[in-house]
Amino acid sequence: MTVLAHGTDTLTRDALAVLQPGFEGTTAPAWLLRRIGEGLTSVGLFGRNIASPGQLAALTAQLRAERDDVLVAIDEEGGDVTRLEVRGGSSFPGNLALGAVDDTALTRGVARELGRRLAECGVNLNWAPSADVNSNPDNPVIGVRSFGADTALAARHTAAYVEGLQAAGVAACTKHFPGHGDTNVDSHHALPRIDVDLDTLQVRELIPFKAAIEAGTRAVMSAHILVPALDPTRPATLSPQILTGLLRKELGYEGLIVTDGMEMNAIAGTYGIERGSALALAAGADAICVGGGLADEATVLRLRDALVAAVREGTLPEERLADAAARVRELAAWTRQARAAAAVPGAPEGGAPGIGLTAARRAVAVTGAAAPVSAPYVATLAPVANIAVGDETPWGLAAELAALVPDTASGVYPEGASAGDVLAAAGGRTVVAVVRDAHRHPWMTEALDALVAARPDTVVVEMGVPRAEPRGALYIATHGASRVCGRAAAEVIAGA
């Protein structure tokens, strides 16, 4: 463990402590290790940093050689949003699938097993779960990341997920406060706005966060959304009324408040990341998440210096920065203790190793008579992936079905493709049309309708939020697009 660098003053150390930066590569760069030695307490990992569990464990060990209690954070929701298995797809279904099953013991077990795998690799802070109530079916960024549109269901599964994850010694970070489910804009691109009254917020958006707080969530992530009923001028991440007034005082939350990525356009394109970071801390946030897109030393130094300057200019009270840094260090200390407790003989173990596939199978909903399909043609109608999910993670079921039915052919069809394109490629094969949120993409709905009209034996697999009426000879809703969801659907099609 490295002693803090000589000459690094308290203000600078605190400014470093509140940052959660990312970096490039699968080993820690020298600049990152040097800044950890100077007081940086958190590091964020993304898909670009992970090649294998063994490599990830070596990376986190490298970080802990500099600081034993360093917070190593990751955006590992399971399901569609995975960093641990970014290249192959997740071994776990996501929140919507768990909500569809509605077995809190299963959700707790899935989260515990996911936490065990993260802890085994040295990750101790997970930016999950999403507690958002997906009340807007056209939401472009939440969707299957939510447990569902029912508030009570979302609340009980949020609490179960927090309990399971933290039983494995990994701190949960419940997001996106005060609730991102009723938006129709992705905050990666612009500033969403939720125009509902305070009573609606109290009985819908806030209930799952109250459940997470009662379950002991160690962190909460703020949303870059404007909620005029709470603050008519500033987004939640920058709002004292929302972070301090509502979350701290009204809801009584005492843990760490983490911002969503500050380079997202909702903040970077309106306030800039330097000013936005200072405003977020002044509003009540404790940790600044940055690094999804900006992942270099220059960004860390820019933010560090901007926070120091804000204190000296009087726009960020020094005691607020010191309080934020103390909360970061408190969580770091908790994770070290939790890691030790999880290693004690007799401590709770993770769920069964195959619990992810078990959950995915239970989440599948089938309409129509299932019968084995021979020589299928899998046509994946592929929308553009949102940034949270990323376009590097494979989805669908072509590979999973090919493993069960050897004579399987497949093709991927982006926006603009037609039913005629699919039918020409399929020839006489049975078409398996795979879609993701078909209700949000008119071109996809049009292609599906034409396919089913031309070929009534078409099998339709919806791997997003199922909203349309079931269509096709067989309609399968997986409630997510992770690898195990694809496997579960493939088993139905193959009659396995």
Side-chain angles (χ1 to χ4, degrees):
M1 180 176 175
T2 300
V3 177
L4 288 172
H6 178 71
T8 305
D9 61 74
T10 299
L11 184 56
T12 302
R13 290 199 301 271
D14 287 349
L16 280 171
V18 300
L19 302 180
Q20 289 190 349
F23 61 94
E24 299 285 348
T26 54
T27 59
W31 69 261
L32 183 65
L33 299 177
R34 183 167 62 253
R35 300 307 170 190
I36 291 173
E38 293 174 357
L40 186 69
T41 310
S42 307
V43 173
L45 298 181
F46 298 86
R48 62 176 180 254
N49 303 122
I50 300 168
S52 69
Q55 168 270 325
L56 178 55
L59 170 58
T60 58
Q62 186 185 14
L63 296 171
R64 292 211 164 84
E66 293 297 320
R67 182 184 183 120
D68 183 55
D69 64 348
V70 66
L71 286 170
V72 181
I74 198 169
D75 196 4
E76 183 58 52
E77 299 176 14
D80 291 27
V81 179
T82 179
R83 308 299 179 237
L84 200 60
E85 299 181 275
V86 67
R87 291 168 183 80
S90 180
S91 300
F92 302 91
N95 285 3
L96 188 65
L98 296 172
V101 178
D102 195 13
D103 178 346
T104 54
L106 179 67
T107 295
R108 193 175 294 107
V110 166
R112 188 167 65 245
E113 175 61 16
L114 179 59
R116 185 193 66 79
R117 296 191 190 184
L118 289 173
E120 200 171 57
C121 295
V123 176
N124 55 10
L125 172 59
N126 191 10
W127 294 319
S130 290
D132 310 291
V133 179
N134 198 54
S135 54
N136 184 345
D138 292 325
N139 195 313
V141 68
I142 301 300
V144 297
R145 302 167 65 197
S146 165
F147 289 110
D150 180 88
T151 298
L153 179 145
R156 61 179 172 265
H157 285 277
T158 295
Y161 198 105
V162 167
E163 291 164 356
L165 192 64
Q166 294 188 166
V170 176
C173 182
T174 306
K175 61 189 183 185
H176 306 79
F177 186 82
H180 209 311
D182 194 19
T183 60
N184 57 13
V185 173
D186 186 343
S187 51
H188 289 90
H189 301 297
L191 180 62
R193 178 185 177 111
I194 296 182
D195 284 305
V196 299
D197 58 36
L198 189 57
D199 288 343
T200 300
L201 292 169
Q202 289 285 359
V203 300
R204 190 178 67 184
E205 270 74 17
L206 297 182
I207 298 299
F209 290 97
K210 292 178 181 178
I213 292 169
E214 290 173 5
T217 186
R218 292 287 166 173
V220 168
M221 178 177 283
S222 66
H224 302 330
I225 57 175
L226 188 67
V227 188
L230 299 174
D231 187 331
T233 59
R234 287 188 178 179
T237 294
L238 312 183
S239 171
Q241 293 96 310
I242 295 174
L243 297 189
T244 299
L246 176 58
L247 183 54
R248 288 278 187 229
K249 294 181 179 178
E250 185 176 332
L251 301 186
Y253 175 65
E254 293 295 332
L256 191 76
I257 299 177
V258 183
T259 72
D260 207 342
M262 295 301 284
E263 68 268 51
M264 293 164 63
N265 210 42
I267 299 297
T270 52
Y271 293 86
I273 63 168
E274 293 94 337
R275 179 171 176 243
S277 296
L279 288 172
L281 287 165
D286 304 306
I288 303 297
C289 177
V290 66
L294 299 172
D296 55 17
E297 184 177 22
T299 299
V300 172
L301 296 181
R302 277 168 54 204
L303 292 178
R304 180 201 66 183
D305 294 347
L307 297 179
V308 170
V311 169
R312 290 175 176 161
E313 292 164 2
T315 55
L316 172 60
E318 186 171 0
E319 59 271 21
R320 172 77 273 273
L321 177 61
D323 173 64
R327 290 182 188 274
V328 173
R329 295 178 188 122
E330 286 169 8
L331 181 58
W334 177 87
T335 60
R336 182 166 55 184
Q337 295 165 1
R339 187 167 81 242
V344 171
E349 297 180 355
I355 193 172
L357 181 55
T358 297
R361 286 169 173 158
R362 291 181 63 186
V364 167
V366 179
T367 303
V373 175
S374 60
Y377 181 78
V378 180
T380 303
L381 307 184
V384 175
N386 71 55
I387 293 176
V389 173
D391 57 9
E392 69 271 38
T393 303
W395 70 280
L397 56 79
E400 299 296 334
L401 187 57
L404 298 175
V405 182
D407 190 19
T408 296
S410 63
V412 177
Y413 298 85
E415 183 171 358
S418 68
D421 299 326
V422 174
L423 292 171
R429 293 170 177 266
T430 300
V431 175
V432 178
V434 183
V435 295
R436 199 175 192 176
D437 291 343
H439 68 281
R440 293 199 303 110
H441 304 284
W443 70 271
M444 200 180 291
T445 300
E446 182 180 339
L448 276 183
D449 289 341
L451 276 172
V452 172
R455 295 283 297 273
D457 63 340
T458 295
V459 175
V460 177
V461 182
E462 172 61 83
M463 303 193 79
V465 178
R467 292 286 301 176
E469 288 297 318
R471 66 190 82 189
L474 182 64
Y475 179 86
I476 302 171
T478 61
H479 302 95
S482 70
R483 179 174 55 79
V484 288
C485 291
R487 172 73 186 193
E491 289 174 349
V492 174
I493 295 168

